[in-house]
Amino acid sequence: MISAKPHLRTTSLYKILEYNYLIFPPVLVLTFYVCYAFFRFQLDKLNISVAGGWDWTTVVHVLLTFICTFAQAPPYSNVWGLCLPMRPFAYARAPLKRSFKTLRICLVTKGTNFETVLNSVHQWEDLRQHSYLRFHVVIDDENCEELRKALPSFVQIIQVPGPNIFRTRKAKYKARALEFYRQQQNLSKEDWVLHLDEESLIDAASVQACFDFILGGEAQIGMGTIYYNGVNHWQNSFLSAAEVTRISDDFGQFQLPIRICGRPLLGYMHGSWVLINGAVENAITWETACLAEDFWFAYNAVSRGFKFGWLHAVVREQPPETLRDFFRQRRRWYTGIFSIPNVFVRLSLMTTVIGPISFFVWPLFTLLNKREPIPHWLFVWLLWNSVSHGYTIVVASVLQDLVTAGVSWSSLIVHAAKSVVLWPFVHLLQAFALVSCLWQPAKGFAVIAKS
């Protein structure tokens, strides 16, 4: 396995992804052919026909599969995002188009995950040679004197005042802290802010990607890929597999609309590893009570016509440590997104979370229910749905492991297999979290435990 420093492993990864359009499509086609041949052989052994006609089960499955497939925007977005040219070095190779004064690294914390914050800030030590950088930790708690003393001197600590001193019209929780930071910093169009969660681990490649984006790009907002291998990598199989599904979604739901249209789908934006121009922050602000302040910000930025781009570097984070934290985290996201007053946002969320379950449930039901024959084309379509989604999960798992120190080739294979097997159960739990928000929305901003 690769044993270099994180930023060197990242650079090596993107040298491979520069040729993604030559690597992944033929491998996907070969994978589908092998699966097709295998299942046709198994069905023939079991005397199950895939050359039948139409009956009521066929009609139901075609309609449901059609709805859940084409409700995605666009259909098979993860596959398209994986196979279309990524051009990861486009900004680095572009001529200089603009200048800037400062890049401010902003980490927001409640201070409850003390060691996590210190570990993240420790990664900044090697970045201090860049004169453009400013290092800021925003503490949204008045009783964090111990954390203030533990942070290194090169970090500027910004304490969010209590509600009696700093009042907002709407902003609550993290949005309130971000709004105070925005006002306190007096940002201009020559300033950029890199927003991070308290467990986000950046390196030289991350910062260089920001510089390239600012100097060689035209977009005002950048978002990048997050891998969940910073801490506790595959210590809990289910929780790690759940984050692999998020990496898979980065190819399509998050990255593809930005690469093609220069804007995210509706408001799908990460809450961390987000680079925003100061003038954009001043135009949109963080004045929102939405529990998904990142989605709200992107949704409003899209409506105002601001342009987005993709940061081709990896920031490392960690999965939740318990199922309870996983469930609470998803409920907060879904409650926040559902609060956006747009029917298409809500439909998109429901089809994104619930729809993929059909790619596993319906083929099994169709093939095994009384062994009723189905049309051959429907068999091919249902198999394609499962194989293509499973393929993106495998690729996401493998790419994450390739930039993780100490992962053996055997572990890489096991992790990929676990990700595929656990993927339907992850979606079932997420679907339950989504449905639970319909009758009892999440209350407050749950800060999950991190190590």
Side-chain angles (χ1 to χ4, degrees):
M1 297 301 297
I2 301 172
S3 59
K5 291 183 178 180
H7 69 276
L8 297 179
R9 293 197 297 269
T10 299
T11 302
S12 299
L13 172 68
Y14 280 104
K15 286 181 179 179
I16 297 173
L17 292 181
E18 186 173 15
Y19 303 98
N20 70 294
Y21 60 96
L22 298 176
I23 299 171
F24 296 123
V27 178
L28 172 59
V29 172
L30 178 61
T31 302
F32 174 76
Y33 176 78
V34 170
C35 291
Y36 173 83
F38 172 78
F39 282 107
R40 278 304 304 264
F41 175 74
Q42 293 298 320
L43 293 176
D44 289 342
K45 276 181 57 178
L46 296 172
N47 197 29
I48 298 177
S49 172
V50 289
W54 286 75
D55 57 23
W56 72 270
T57 58
T58 302
V59 173
V60 169
H61 293 319
V62 167
L63 288 176
L64 291 177
T65 303
F66 181 89
I67 291 171
C68 284
T69 298
F70 290 92
Q72 310 293 316
Y76 309 109
S77 59
N78 290 2
V79 174
W80 286 113
L82 185 65
C83 295
L84 293 178
M86 293 183 183
R87 302 176 62 238
F89 301 108
Y91 293 123
R93 295 167 180 168
L96 299 182
K97 298 177 181 178
R98 55 190 174 192
S99 61
F100 71 104
K101 290 192 304 183
T102 65
L103 171 57
R104 307 173 191 218
I105 298 176
C106 173
L107 184 152
V108 178
T109 179
K110 290 286 290 184
T112 52
N113 294 306
F114 183 91
E115 293 297 333
T116 299
V117 175
L118 294 183
N119 184 46
S120 297
V121 171
H122 175 69
Q123 311 300 314
W124 301 353
E125 291 277 359
D126 296 334
L127 309 174
R128 295 174 60 187
Q129 73 272 18
H130 297 290
S131 60
Y132 294 106
L133 293 182
R134 303 291 183 271
F135 302 94
H136 298 156
V137 171
V138 180
I139 303 178
D140 189 19
D141 194 307
E142 296 177 306
N143 301 311
C144 284
E145 189 62 28
E146 183 181 4
L147 177 59
R148 293 172 62 92
K149 292 179 179 179
L151 290 171
S153 59
F154 71 88
V155 175
Q156 181 181 351
I157 302 169
I158 299 170
Q159 183 80 53
V160 181
N164 293 329
I165 300 175
F166 176 63
R167 295 183 175 89
T168 59
R169 291 182 289 106
K170 298 180 180 179
K172 296 180 180 180
Y173 314 117
K174 184 179 179 180
R176 179 176 177 273
L178 291 171
E179 179 61 12
F180 176 77
Y181 178 79
R182 181 191 70 82
Q183 295 183 24
Q184 192 260 358
Q185 291 294 299
N186 295 315
L187 301 171
S188 72
K189 68 177 182 180
E190 292 293 314
D191 301 310
W192 292 76
V193 182
L194 176 60
H195 290 282
L196 302 175
D197 283 342
E198 55 189 2
E199 79 274 21
S200 303
L201 302 177
I202 61 174
D203 55 27
S206 312
V207 172
Q208 188 59 53
C210 293
F211 289 158
D212 294 338
F213 180 91
I214 295 170
L215 297 173
E218 297 178 348
Q220 300 101 340
I221 304 173
M223 174 172 55
T225 298
I226 297 176
Y227 284 175
Y228 303 89
N229 59 350
V231 179
N232 298 332
H233 185 55
W234 281 99
Q235 294 299 306
N236 182 301
S237 294
F238 182 88
L239 297 175
S240 291
E243 303 312 302
V244 169
T245 65
R246 294 176 65 189
I247 299 172
S248 174
D249 287 339
D250 262 356
F251 295 129
Q253 184 185 43
F254 286 87
Q255 186 177 157
L256 185 63
I258 290 176
R259 282 162 49 194
I260 293 178
C261 306
R263 55 192 291 172
L265 171 65
L266 300 172
Y268 286 102
M269 183 176 82
H270 295 152
S272 179
W273 189 206
V274 177
L275 179 65
I276 306 176
N277 181 262
V280 177
E281 291 221 15
N282 292 334
I284 305 299
T285 78
W286 294 97
E287 275 289 1
T288 178
C290 179
L291 291 177
E293 77 291 329
D294 46 359
F295 191 103
W296 178 91
F297 187 96
Y299 177 80
N300 284 277
V302 168
S303 67
R304 296 282 292 273
F306 290 111
K307 190 174 181 181
F308 289 68
W310 195 262
L311 296 163
H312 288 285
V314 172
V315 162
R316 295 175 295 144
E317 295 191 357
Q318 69 179 85
E321 296 186 349
T322 65
L323 280 174
R324 180 173 181 269
D325 277 347
F326 172 87
F327 194 73
R328 293 168 67 201
Q329 181 189 64
R330 266 51 174 185
R331 275 180 45 80
R332 176 176 65 81
W333 294 348
Y334 301 154
T335 297
I337 295 173
F338 260 117
S339 70
I340 302 295
N342 184 310
V343 65
F344 294 107
V345 169
R346 296 166 184 171
L347 287 175
S348 171
L349 177 63
M350 295 189 71
T351 56
T352 298
V353 175
I354 299 175
I357 298 175
S358 69
F359 297 141
F360 279 89
V361 176
W362 295 334
L364 291 175
F365 180 81
T366 301
L367 294 173
L368 300 180
N369 182 41
K370 298 181 181 179
R371 297 186 178 181
E372 295 177 355
I374 62 173
H376 180 265
W377 67 265
L378 179 57
F379 165 75
V380 173
W381 186 24
L382 294 175
L383 183 63
W384 166 257
N385 287 337
S386 298
V387 170
S388 61
H389 280 71
Y391 179 74
T392 60
I393 292 291
V394 169
V395 171
S397 177
V398 169
L399 292 180
Q400 178 175 242
D401 279 352
L402 284 176
V403 294
T404 305
V407 177
S408 65
W409 287 106
S410 59
S411 295
L412 182 148
I413 295 171
V414 170
H415 294 166
K418 285 183 177 179
S419 297
V420 173
V421 171
L422 293 173
W423 173 41
F425 302 100
V426 169
H427 273 289
L428 282 173
L429 185 57
Q430 291 184 151
F432 179 67
L434 175 61
V435 172
S436 73
C437 293
L438 299 180
W439 75 76
Q440 187 177 2
K443 296 179 180 179
F445 193 101
V447 179
I448 66 174
K450 299 162 188 173
S451 56

